Amino acid sequence: MQHPSLNIAIRAARSAGKLLLRYMDRVDSLKVESKSRNDFVSDIDRGAEALIIQELRARFPDHAILAEESGAQGRGDFQWIIDPLDGTTNYLHGFPQFSVSIALKHKGQLECGVVYDPLREEMYSAARGQGAQLNDRKIRVANRPSLEGALIGTGFPFRDQRHIDVYLRMFKDMTLATAGLRRPGSAALDLAYVAAGRTDGFWEIGLAEWDCAAGALLVAEAGGTVTDLAGGKSFLETGNLIAGNLKVHRAMLDLLTPHLTEQLKA
């Protein structure tokens, strides 16, 4: 039986996805602001977020919310974590890779999550202890035994570039050890692809909680592992994470660990 909160999250993600598609051919008319270097927000981010919050509030008026554009609202054991448009820069350029990400935490533990790709009509969903699905079909992480021949997703540290030199050294070593790296530009979808076995692993530095909460649950429920760069469980706090099946994750951890600064080990 599907988690009741998951049905509401799926409905909210679909509503936001429809709005994103409606404006995709009219991005020139959107008002765009820069929140910080390389970090943009548009009317459509705010509109999609308002739509999601409205749907969640109608069903769960007492739940707290942490959303990318409007921040933290309310307090309580239940908290929704929302990214209404993960891949804003892609969206504003007409680059067809972006998603809606919604997750629910209960007392700090991820309970359910959805990542929706409206262009491909792909709904990735997971509830704790119930596995992960893509459009109602069960998904599993790939069973690749090592980095040899692996396809690995990543994201450049675009907001905070203090770690760019460390990251580029990681990038070089990972390139040499694998079949290739991909940087599509939506971390939520990148994690969903790991869950679905489309890529073998993923790592990134400097994510926000709303970028990776739903995707991390997808990977875990699809049989994979998600940790911070030191192999711990603080990735939602640090925003630094590695995801993959058990063996690929271990190999990525071994390859990336020598590059970690004291700051990234925390």
Side-chain angles (χ1 to χ4, degrees):
M1 188 177 131
Q2 200 166 64
H3 198 292
S5 303
L6 192 55
N7 292 329
I8 307 299
I10 286 170
R11 197 182 312 155
R14 283 198 198 282
S15 297
K18 276 184 196 162
L19 186 67
L20 296 179
L21 292 183
R22 201 178 310 145
Y23 281 88
M24 198 172 176
D25 296 328
R26 291 182 271 164
V27 289
D28 291 347
S29 68
L30 294 174
K31 184 182 170 200
V32 179
E33 296 165 30
S34 180
K35 291 190 281 187
S36 60
R37 188 173 186 273
N38 293 338
D39 198 6
F40 304 100
V41 60
S42 71
D43 295 339
I44 200 73
D45 296 72
R46 294 194 179 105
E49 184 171 290
L51 205 58
I52 293 167
I53 291 172
Q54 184 183 339
E55 294 222 15
L56 296 178
R57 281 242 183 276
R59 181 68 176 76
F60 306 108
D62 300 331
H63 287 190
I65 283 170
L66 174 64
E68 177 169 15
E69 309 311 336
S70 56
Q73 305 165 37
R75 301 179 69 136
D77 290 344
F78 289 95
Q79 183 188 47
W80 290 95
I81 303 159
I82 302 162
D83 191 339
L85 173 51
D86 187 47
T88 300
T89 302
N90 281 353
Y91 183 86
L92 294 174
H93 284 78
F95 189 92
Q97 185 82 352
F98 53 86
S99 62
V100 180
S101 175
I102 305 172
L104 176 65
K105 278 201 305 191
H106 179 240
K107 295 183 177 177
Q109 184 169 44
L110 291 167
E111 281 294 316
C112 68
V114 300
V115 174
Y116 181 48
D117 177 349
L119 281 172
R120 296 175 185 83
E121 293 187 11
E122 291 187 336
M123 180 70 71
Y124 301 85
S125 62
R128 188 165 64 87
Q130 294 180 20
Q133 289 83 34
L134 166 54
N135 292 346
D136 301 322
R137 179 178 56 81
K138 212 164 181 55
I139 51 175
R140 295 288 294 174
V141 292
N143 59 6
R144 189 170 298 281
S146 70
L147 288 178
E148 189 178 346
L151 184 64
I152 303 294
T154 188
F156 304 129
F158 66 98
R159 287 189 195 104
D160 177 358
Q161 293 171 335
R162 283 173 303 166
H163 305 298
I164 190 71
D165 291 332
V166 171
Y167 174 78
L168 289 173
R169 289 194 288 275
M170 292 175 168
F171 190 93
K172 179 183 176 182
D173 280 2
M174 196 68 78
T175 300
L176 294 172
T178 63
L181 304 186
R182 296 292 181 268
R183 198 279 183 185
S186 166
L189 263 188
D190 291 335
L191 287 162
Y193 278 21
V194 174
R198 291 177 175 176
T199 52
D200 297 294
F202 172 78
W203 96 97
E204 188 161 351
I205 295 170
L207 292 167
E209 188 170 352
W210 47 77
D211 295 321
C212 59
L217 184 64
L218 284 169
V219 173
E221 287 297 323
T225 306
V226 185
T227 68
D228 55 39
L229 298 182
K233 289 293 178 188
S234 63
F235 56 88
L236 289 179
E237 291 76 46
T238 65
N240 308 324
L241 61 75
I242 303 174
N245 74 29
L246 216 53
K247 288 178 179 173
V248 167
H249 175 274
R250 169 47 62 191
M252 290 176 73
L253 203 56
D254 290 346
L255 185 142
L256 297 176
T257 297
H259 296 291
L260 297 185
T261 58
E262 287 308 312
Q263 225 174 352
L264 289 173
K265 284 176 188 171

